[in-house]
Amino acid sequence: MATADYVSMKVFSLNCWGIRYLSKLCSQRYQMIGEMLCKEEHDIVLLQEVWSEKDYLYLKKKLSTSHSHSHYFKSGVIGSGLAIFSKHRIHDTFLYRYSLNGYPYMAHHGDWFGGKAVGMAVLNLGGLTANIYVTHLHAEYCREKDTYLAHRVVQAWELQQFIRHTSAGADVVILGGDLNMHPQDLGSRLLRSYTGLRDAYLETAKFDGCENGITLIADNPFISKKELVPFEKGIRIDYILFKGTSKTDVDCDFMSTTKGSVPDQPFPYSDHEALTAQLQLKASVPAQAGSDQQSKPPAGKLAELVDIVTEARTEVKVGLHCAERMRYTAARTGAMGLALLFLELAIAAVPCFALGAEQPFPRTSFYLLAALCFAILLSTSLLYIFYTMELKSLQGAEDQMRLAVGGLQEKLRGFPLARPHDAPRGPPEGDKPNALDPEE
Amino acid sequence: MATADYVSMKVFSLNCWGIRYLSKLCSQRYQMIGEMLCKEEHDIVLLQEVWSEKDYLYLKKKLSTSHSHSHYFKSGVIGSGLAIFSKHRIHDTFLYRYSLNGYPYMAHHGDWFGGKAVGMAVLNLGGLTANIYVTHLHAEYCREKDTYLAHRVVQAWELQQFIRHTSAGADVVILGGDLNMHPQDLGSRLLRSYTGLRDAYLETAKFDGCENGITLIADNPFISKKELVPFEKGIRIDYILFKGTSKTDVDCDFMSTTKGSVPDQPFPYSDHEALTAQLQLKASVPAQAGSDQQSKPPAGKLAELVDIVTEARTEVKVGLHCAERMRYTAARTGAMGLALLFLELAIAAVPCFALGAEQPFPRTSFYLLAALCFAILLSTSLLYIFYTMELKSLQGAEDQMRLAVGGLQEKLRGFPLARPHDAPRGPPEGDKPNALDPEE
């Protein structure tokens, strides 16, 4: 809906949990999702975990009248699971595949096969250029011992880089998706503070939904309560984030989430709750000072950003250390496999030189051992290559972070000292629009 | 060098052919390159095929006074081989890894292990924001039967997407690198016409270098002349491309290439020739009409672009067909391996049921056959996964191209019919700044 003064838009985001044959009541839930989307007529629908293209095509057909424009992002072996449906024409799309995304041998977690990525679509909304992003980061399977933390931090780093660098020409930026990070987690803070994206849940004038905006809730019948421990009620890991520019102001008038059940339906849409945000886009007041303030963040925010990037760098270094150890283990195991193979061949070769001597090796054992050696050599070689690639990506991210910290510190040095409204360090209190404080 | 009116900058690009222990005279050549770069003092140095980080660190040390800022982009198993050296501070960097880049089992070609990518660095030049890109696309090993054509076209597609979407905030855009494409090749045309990047060789006021600007020349002692057939003298596959914006005009005053040998040196810097372009950046005339013209390309150019993207889409479809066939072959071979394994087990199991019957299988053959079956199963499974990922990337690129053609055609329909200066189809003649004609 657009008037001369403002453009109003409704954005929807849902992790559909659409693993065919594994997710419960998959086709029934897609039917429900399709019907609801047809009725609700959101301007933009951002879906994650639409793992099967058939399900995307089902939705595309179902929404052909309400959302005549759509795009499905393809990546990895089965993914990326990301889809955009829109009432407005999609002019352009672009996909960035994260350089790190778990391990192929962790097949039961499956993230690697999904080829996690961030998809971008460029739309025109009432004369404004809107860059719409949809993403899904690597899941957190164990919060106490999170083996994927470095990967997720690098994904958050690449996500903020991608959004910052591709959104310079946009009037409004919207990101929706399952970040698999709590609001106070390092990756969330990094993303929000570097891009300036604002959290619709924190910004909304009115809210109707689960307590604390949680989107993975204990009351959802598809959720195992054990998985949520120690967060009894649930966690907030799905988001709609947005920002305007010096030319456009964006506000969130209303936000809602589903609450674990759907009225008149026997079960919810997914194991995640659905998010809806009503945004209002206005031409911003053409005050020179205001636009200047937007392009140059205050010293306090810069100092905070330096701290967050430094924290991220530390986490990546821990990941680097771990990947180096894994690669070393793969190399050592491979070397042992090779040594065993040589030893076996040497023992088998003895009777050839000592003519007449009996073959000391029982044939069965000989072949089994040889097969084992080959299997070890092959798998450790593949692992060595994989860990080397992981190391390169981690080192690359760390290099970029180091350079970014240098650049930010240079900017900080350019600031006049002790401006009264700029806190020199630490999160500013009560600074809600860009608040970095944990709110849960 | 900057005056009040303009900023002048010297850009250098070279494929260093830096494969340790394989490339001839590698360390001596790096020494020569380092000395030359120290002396010449280019503003920006874009290097490709710096495969070893040690060589990058050697150059970094050597150029510490002349080029105090640098970045090495890490990707893949040994790559990406891309490095930037700059006299000006690098504020930010970003790397985009191409989704397709050859096959890991084509180890003798090695491109897959290099993790080909496009690196971006953001600089500030006399108050102007410059986005500098360096890239290296998949090599073309056989022009008649180019099995990597679809991969290279997708790389060119992703390269233009990356540059278009990340350069909206820049005042000047510069791309240097080894594109492994002739100027009239599909990928080159796609890149130049979609981004509006201008070829320094075609644009320069003065040129000193090889005939036709060729950069892989028969006279280079490291080149095997057989590889260049049917291009006797050589080919042009290395480029410096640039563009300004509505705010900035960029011109190329002078361009030069090395000519297969270096004065007072026994051998050249590399198997590729080095490129140097002297660019001049000026604030553009603040004519409203002019800036409008820049943001809205004429109908003739749009129609041409539609043709080029359609051509690229056809090429990607050919690649898709090929990848589907390869995946089918992998699946069929895997199924045969599995059938053979079951057959073997069935024959071996017969004596267990028919008690007293003799084992018909000689043990050696039994174990060898079983090992062979396992090897077939494992390798075809890995290949199946790889080809599925290749298919997803090709399908994704094709989807994006289809959507882009739709968007371009929509724009075309918005044009008033038959403006006298807009050719409806085909490359405009004599339109040098954005010429799409083959010039070789």
Side-chain angles (χ1 to χ4, degrees):
Chain A
M1 195 183 84
T3 76
D5 296 330
Y6 66 91
V7 179
S8 176
M9 62 187 294
K10 232 163 113 181
V11 183
F12 176 89
S13 176
L14 173 66
N15 178 323
C16 295
W17 189 41
I19 317 167
R20 281 202 163 206
Y21 316 115
L22 281 176
S23 302
K24 284 176 193 158
L25 304 162
C26 204
S27 58
Q28 291 96 320
R29 289 189 292 105
Y30 271 117
Q31 207 175 333
M32 278 165 60
I33 292 170
E35 275 158 19
M36 177 267 294
L37 292 176
C38 260
K39 205 175 70 186
E40 293 288 334
E41 295 205 347
H42 308 88
D43 291 85
I44 293 156
V45 174
L46 305 171
L47 302 180
Q48 305 95 51
E49 288 212 26
V50 185
W51 293 122
S52 164
E53 199 175 345
K54 280 184 191 156
D55 292 324
Y56 162 73
L57 293 173
Y58 165 79
L59 287 178
K60 188 180 160 90
K61 198 175 163 191
K62 187 107 184 165
L63 306 181
S64 56
T65 48
S66 62
H67 298 83
S68 46
H69 307 282
S70 67
H71 192 77
Y72 184 60
F73 294 97
K74 288 168 188 159
S75 162
V77 187
I78 49 162
S80 63
L82 306 173
I84 291 186
F85 289 89
S86 165
K87 282 168 81 173
H88 313 272
R89 176 178 270 282
I90 296 172
H91 291 281
D92 215 341
T93 54
F94 190 25
L95 184 72
Y96 181 89
R97 293 161 183 87
Y98 297 124
S99 66
L100 291 170
N101 186 34
Y103 306 94
Y105 54 80
M106 300 295 268
H108 58 298
H109 285 170
D111 293 69
W112 186 85
F113 292 87
K116 300 281 175 80
V118 46
M120 176 181 114
V122 183
L123 313 182
N124 192 299
L125 291 167
L128 297 172
T129 301
N131 275 24
I132 312 293
Y133 300 87
V134 56
T135 194
H136 184 195
L137 303 197
H138 198 294
E140 183 190 72
Y141 294 96
C142 173
R143 197 162 174 83
E144 278 66 50
K145 207 181 166 187
D146 183 8
T147 43
Y148 301 111
L149 182 57
H151 284 211
R152 210 177 307 100
V153 168
V154 171
Q155 289 187 342
W157 173 257
E158 290 175 353
L159 175 59
Q160 68 77 17
Q161 278 189 314
F162 185 70
I163 293 176
R164 266 193 312 121
H165 291 299
T166 55
S167 64
D171 298 307
V172 55
V173 177
I174 294 165
L175 165 66
D178 174 3
L179 300 186
N180 271 313
M181 303 185 293
H182 298 213
Q184 75 278 25
D185 281 358
L186 174 57
S188 297
R189 287 181 284 133
L190 182 66
L191 173 66
R192 278 177 296 154
S193 57
Y194 221 145
T195 58
L197 282 168
R198 295 152 62 199
D199 187 341
Y201 169 69
L202 295 180
E203 297 286 322
T204 185
K206 273 193 209 168
F207 177 75
D208 176 32
C210 301
E211 199 184 330
N212 295 323
I214 51 176
T215 59
L216 208 63
I217 66 172
D219 291 340
N220 186 305
F222 298 129
I223 294 270
S224 148
K225 282 178 190 173
K226 277 183 202 164
E227 282 172 23
L228 291 174
V229 171
F231 304 96
E232 272 180 30
K233 287 186 177 170
I235 53 177
R236 184 155 85 92
I237 56 172
D238 300 81
Y239 301 83
I240 291 176
L241 305 171
F242 64 90
K243 71 169 179 176
T245 59
S246 56
K247 275 165 65 189
T248 323
D249 279 334
V250 186
D251 288 304
C252 183
D253 292 342
F254 179 65
M255 195 189 175
S256 65
T257 69
T258 50
K259 296 170 191 174
S261 62
V262 182
D264 307 323
Q265 297 284 359
F267 41 80
Y269 299 121
S270 171
D271 61 346
H272 286 242
E273 300 310 311
L275 283 73
T276 308
Q278 179 87 37
L279 303 178
Q280 207 175 81
L281 286 53
K282 278 181 291 193
S284 63
V285 187
Q288 276 294 320
S291 79
D292 191 57
Q293 211 167 23
Q294 184 137 13
S295 61
K296 283 185 186 169
K301 291 257 176 248
L302 269 183
E304 203 178 298
L305 188 52
V306 168
D307 286 351
I308 296 172
V309 179
T310 308
E311 199 182 333
R313 217 184 131 193
T314 309
E315 209 52 71
V316 171
K317 275 181 184 167
V318 173
L320 258 172
H321 185 71
C322 186
E324 265 164 6
R325 221 176 42 220
M326 300 284 271
R327 189 172 71 161
Y328 175 72
T329 306
R332 205 180 46 182
T333 313
M336 280 164 63
L338 195 66
L340 195 63
L341 188 67
F342 278 127
L343 191 71
E344 188 193 9
L345 291 175
I347 294 173
V350 166
C352 301
F353 297 107
L355 290 166
E358 208 180 319
Q359 176 61 265
F361 236 119
R363 278 200 176 169
T364 310
S365 316
F366 179 82
Y367 288 114
L368 279 180
L369 192 59
L372 179 72
C373 291
F374 272 116
I376 289 173
L377 271 177
L378 184 71
S379 53
T380 51
S381 302
L382 291 176
L383 281 175
Y384 189 87
I385 290 174
F386 182 83
Y387 288 130
T388 305
M389 287 167 77
E390 185 188 10
L391 272 173
K392 288 273 172 201
S393 292
L394 286 165
Q395 285 167 351
E398 206 247 305
D399 287 351
Q400 288 173 348
M401 286 173 185
R402 191 182 57 233
L403 194 131
V405 167
L408 291 168
Q409 280 171 335
E410 176 103 350
K411 266 188 199 171
L412 256 179
R413 279 193 288 273
F415 268 91
L417 281 171
R419 280 201 285 171
H421 62 281
D422 288 338
R425 280 263 154 152
E429 276 173 30
D431 190 359
K432 209 185 169 196
N434 272 306
L436 295 155
D437 306 332
E439 77 282 34
E440 277 192 352
Chain B
M1 194 181 85
T3 76
D5 297 331
Y6 68 90
V7 179
S8 177
M9 64 186 292
K10 232 164 113 180
V11 183
F12 176 89
S13 176
L14 174 65
N15 177 323
C16 294
W17 190 41
I19 317 166
R20 281 202 163 204
Y21 315 115
L22 281 177
S23 301
K24 285 177 192 158
L25 304 161
C26 204
S27 57
Q28 292 96 319
R29 289 189 291 106
Y30 271 117
Q31 207 174 333
M32 277 165 59
I33 292 170
E35 277 158 18
M36 176 266 294
L37 292 177
C38 260
K39 206 175 69 186
E40 293 287 336
E41 295 205 349
H42 308 88
D43 292 83
I44 293 156
V45 174
L46 305 172
L47 302 180
Q48 306 94 50
E49 288 210 27
V50 185
W51 293 122
S52 164
E53 199 174 346
K54 280 183 191 156
D55 293 324
Y56 162 73
L57 294 172
Y58 165 79
L59 286 179
K60 188 180 160 89
K61 198 175 164 191
K62 187 109 184 166
L63 305 182
S64 56
T65 49
S66 63
H67 298 82
S68 46
H69 308 281
S70 66
H71 191 78
Y72 185 59
F73 295 96
K74 288 168 187 157
S75 161
V77 186
I78 50 161
S80 62
L82 305 173
I84 290 187
F85 290 89
S86 166
K87 283 167 81 172
H88 313 271
R89 176 177 270 282
I90 297 172
H91 292 280
D92 215 342
T93 54
F94 190 25
L95 184 71
Y96 181 90
R97 292 161 183 87
Y98 298 124
S99 65
L100 290 170
N101 186 33
Y103 306 94
Y105 54 80
M106 299 295 268
H108 59 297
H109 285 169
D111 292 68
W112 185 86
F113 292 87
K116 300 282 174 79
V118 47
M120 175 180 114
V122 183
L123 312 182
N124 192 299
L125 291 167
L128 297 172
T129 301
N131 275 23
I132 313 292
Y133 301 87
V134 56
T135 195
H136 183 194
L137 304 197
H138 198 293
E140 182 189 73
Y141 294 96
C142 173
R143 197 161 175 85
E144 278 66 50
K145 206 181 166 188
D146 183 7
T147 42
Y148 301 111
L149 181 57
H151 284 212
R152 208 177 308 102
V153 168
V154 171
Q155 290 186 343
W157 173 255
E158 290 175 353
L159 175 59
Q160 68 77 17
Q161 278 188 314
F162 185 70
I163 293 176
R164 265 194 311 123
H165 291 299
T166 56
S167 64
D171 297 308
V172 54
V173 177
I174 295 164
L175 164 66
D178 174 3
L179 300 186
N180 271 314
M181 302 185 293
H182 298 213
Q184 75 279 26
D185 281 357
L186 174 58
S188 298
R189 287 181 284 133
L190 182 67
L191 173 66
R192 279 178 293 154
S193 57
Y194 220 145
T195 57
L197 281 167
R198 295 152 60 200
D199 187 341
Y201 170 69
L202 296 179
E203 298 286 322
T204 184
K206 273 192 209 169
F207 177 74
D208 177 33
C210 302
E211 198 185 330
N212 295 323
I214 51 175
T215 59
L216 208 64
I217 66 172
D219 290 342
N220 187 304
F222 298 128
I223 293 269
S224 149
K225 283 178 189 171
K226 277 182 202 163
E227 282 172 23
L228 291 174
V229 171
F231 304 95
E232 271 180 32
K233 288 186 177 171
I235 52 177
R236 184 156 85 93
I237 56 172
D238 299 83
Y239 300 83
I240 291 176
L241 305 171
F242 63 90
K243 71 168 180 175
T245 59
S246 56
K247 276 164 64 188
T248 322
D249 280 333
V250 185
D251 288 303
C252 183
D253 291 342
F254 179 65
M255 196 190 175
S256 66
T257 69
T258 51
K259 297 171 190 174
S261 62
V262 182
D264 307 324
Q265 297 285 359
F267 40 80
Y269 298 121
S270 171
D271 60 346
H272 285 241
E273 301 309 311
L275 283 74
T276 307
Q278 178 87 37
L279 303 179
Q280 208 176 81
L281 286 54
K282 278 181 292 194
S284 63
V285 186
Q288 276 294 321
S291 78
D292 190 58
Q293 211 168 25
Q294 185 137 10
S295 61
K296 283 185 186 170
K301 291 257 176 245
L302 270 183
E304 202 179 298
L305 187 53
V306 169
D307 285 352
I308 295 172
V309 178
T310 307
E311 200 182 332
R313 218 183 131 193
T314 309
E315 209 53 72
V316 171
K317 276 182 185 168
V318 173
L320 258 171
H321 185 72
C322 186
E324 265 163 7
R325 220 175 45 220
M326 300 284 271
R327 189 172 72 161
Y328 174 73
T329 306
R332 204 179 47 181
T333 314
M336 280 164 63
L338 195 67
L340 194 64
L341 188 68
F342 278 128
L343 191 72
E344 189 192 10
L345 291 175
I347 294 172
V350 166
C352 302
F353 297 107
L355 290 167
E358 208 182 321
Q359 176 59 267
F361 235 117
R363 278 198 176 172
T364 310
S365 315
F366 179 82
Y367 288 115
L368 279 180
L369 191 59
L372 179 73
C373 290
F374 273 115
I376 289 173
L377 270 177
L378 184 71
S379 53
T380 50
S381 303
L382 291 175
L383 281 175
Y384 189 87
I385 291 174
F386 182 84
Y387 289 130
T388 304
M389 287 167 77
E390 185 189 8
L391 272 173
K392 289 269 173 204
S393 292
L394 286 165
Q395 285 167 350
E398 206 247 306
D399 287 350
Q400 288 173 348
M401 285 173 184
R402 192 182 57 232
L403 194 132
V405 167
L408 291 168
Q409 280 171 335
E410 176 102 351
K411 266 189 199 171
L412 256 180
R413 279 193 288 275
F415 268 91
L417 279 171
R419 281 201 284 170
H421 61 283
D422 289 337
R425 283 261 155 153
E429 276 174 31
D431 190 359
K432 209 184 171 200
N434 273 305
L436 295 156
D437 307 331
E439 78 280 34
E440 279 192 354

